[in-house]
Amino acid sequence: AAGVIQSPRHLIKEKRETATLKCYPIPRHDTVYWYQQGPGQDPQFLISFYEKMQSDKGSIPDRFSAQQFSDYHSELNMSSLELGDSALYFCASSPWTSGGYSYEQYFGPGTRLTVT
Amino acid sequence: LAKTTQPVSMDSYEGQEVNITCSHNNIATNDYITWYQQFPSQGPRFIIQGYKTKVTNEVASLFIPADRKSSTLSLPRVSLSDTAVYYCLVGDERQAGTALIFGKGTTLSVSS
């Protein structure tokens, strides 16, 4: 079965550089979520999109932005990178369940970002 | 948002049944209980979700007492591959499709 695809899988950047992470959701999933997980930390929600519109916003720094495109893939843009941005970044997707209540999200393998 | 409390860690041996209990004293009427599993350096994986009584799937069972102030994830006959972090999440059904708010999970270690 198709899974969530994230690219790149690994990324090394220097401080103050920019990075772009990409996420391709499972086909027919119209909601995309981004999470950040620092070393030894629990996943933290950053932002989500439903039908190309931002649907929820968490602890996403102002230096970060994201969008969802017409083909439903999403990109997380990170600027002025700091050492503390080093983390695993997960993208997840879920289908719209009209009148439903599922909290089932499908996570990708993650992008490991290292800022030096 | 209902706060959840889980044990920090648990140890077990292969073949045993493992029960992880999550406390959520302030759970609201519209809240559902969801459990996720996460292996090191991998994304979390949905295990099970429930509202009351008992829910069972091919992976686990979820027991929720009548007062819903706690829930227990039951993993039958664990193997070494069940070593992971398990997260209990509580969320309003009306906000399904929004963010998962992860608290401190339970690190389960299974040994032979």
Side-chain angles (χ1 to χ4, degrees):
Chain A
V4 175
I5 297 172
Q6 292 188 245
S7 68
R9 293 293 309 278
H10 302 271
L11 191 58
I12 299 175
K13 291 287 186 178
E14 295 187 354
K15 284 194 308 183
R16 292 179 289 277
E17 286 192 323
T18 61
T20 297
L21 309 185
K22 297 184 179 182
C23 169
Y24 299 85
I26 293 171
R28 291 180 294 282
H29 283 196
D30 46 22
T31 305
V32 169
Y33 315 79
W34 286 95
Y35 294 86
Q36 176 192 58
Q37 187 168 27
Q41 304 294 312
D42 305 301
Q44 297 294 312
F45 170 72
L46 294 178
I47 196 167
S48 63
F49 293 87
Y50 167 66
E51 283 291 342
K52 291 150 282 184
M53 298 287 290
Q54 180 182 308
S55 56
D56 203 1
K57 191 172 182 180
S59 52
I60 184 170
D62 292 340
R63 299 177 288 108
F64 294 5
S65 65
Q67 58 182 322
Q68 185 180 30
F69 296 86
S70 58
D71 63 352
Y72 295 103
H73 94 271
S74 177
E75 295 184 3
L76 177 66
N77 298 294
M78 311 160 71
S79 63
S80 302
L81 287 170
E82 303 173 355
L83 295 178
D85 296 327
S86 295
L88 262 173
Y89 290 83
F90 292 108
C91 172
S93 71
S94 67
W96 168 251
T97 53
S98 177
Y101 49 85
S102 173
Y103 276 88
E104 184 171 4
Q105 296 180 12
Y106 298 79
F107 282 75
T111 293
R112 183 174 294 281
L113 173 65
T114 301
V115 181
T116 62
Chain B
L1 211 64
K3 179 178 168 57
T4 60
T5 303
Q6 309 173 226
V8 174
S9 63
M10 295 182 68
D11 296 313
S12 182
Y13 291 97
E14 284 188 293
Q16 290 189 332
E17 177 184 75
V18 171
N19 296 307
I20 305 174
T21 297
C22 177
S23 172
H24 28 78
N25 291 317
N26 296 322
I27 192 168
T29 303
N30 294 312
D31 285 343
Y32 275 76
I33 300 153
T34 308
W35 285 81
Y36 273 78
Q37 174 193 56
Q38 186 179 27
F39 299 113
S41 297
Q42 293 187 28
R45 183 176 76 104
F46 173 89
I47 301 175
I48 198 166
Q49 177 175 307
Y51 183 79
K52 62 180 180 181
T53 63
K54 177 183 175 181
V55 180
T56 297
N57 61 23
E58 64 278 5
V59 176
S61 294
L62 179 60
F63 297 92
I64 306 169
D67 66 6
R68 305 199 328 120
K69 293 184 182 300
S70 67
S71 60
T72 298
L73 175 73
S74 181
L75 305 172
R77 297 180 299 282
V78 295
S79 64
L80 296 176
S81 63
D82 292 314
T83 294
V85 178
Y86 292 82
Y87 292 97
C88 166
L89 297 87
V90 173
D92 191 317
E93 64 166 338
R94 295 166 295 184
Q95 294 181 354
T98 59
L100 296 175
I101 306 302
F102 291 88
K104 296 298 180 185
T106 298
T107 299
L108 172 65
S109 299
V110 180
S111 52
S112 57

